[in-house]
Amino acid sequence: MEAWDQEEIERAEPFEQARADLEALREEIDEDFYNLLLKHIDSGNPKHLEAVQQKIDLVMELHRRTWGQVDLPEEGSGEGLDEIV
């Protein structure tokens, strides 16, 4: 397996963070919605990532207001980056 350079890691980190955030919500959202968001994350398109992150933030806010907090991985925690590093 080829080692990733720093630029590739930095490009991948926001997508991996979004994937980890989405995984934390998996039990809280509809499976079709989860799969759609995952598809957009996996597309690698920064515009799709921005839209997904907005949807994750909205779901988190609705969940917080209705049922309480969902613990998301902290940004920069490295969670979800195991496949890269």
Side-chain angles (χ1 to χ4, degrees), residues 57-75:
D57 293 345
L58 177 62
V59 169
M60 290 302 302
E61 181 60 22
L62 290 171
H63 191 279
R64 183 189 66 76
R65 289 181 183 198
T66 309
W67 297 287
Q69 294 283 29
V70 172
D71 293 326
L72 292 179
E74 288 188 32
E75 190 167 339

Side-chain angles (χ1 to χ4, degrees), residues 17-47:
Q17 183 64 46
R19 183 183 266 279
D21 290 350
L22 181 59
E23 192 59 37
L25 290 174
R26 188 173 194 160
E27 297 297 318
E28 310 299 330
I29 61 177
D30 177 77
E31 185 177 347
D32 291 335
F33 185 54
Y34 170 86
N35 289 330
L36 177 66
L37 295 179
L38 185 60
K39 178 181 174 184
H40 286 300
I41 291 170
D42 289 345
S43 76
N45 184 324
K47 289 183 181 180

Side-chain angles (χ1 to χ4, degrees), residues 4 6 14-15 29 36 45 47-48 51 54 56 85:
W4 288 49
Q6 187 60 34
F15 291 93
I29 61 177
L36 177 66
N45 184 324
K47 289 183 181 180
H48 289 173
Q54 288 173 353
I56 288 172
V85 231

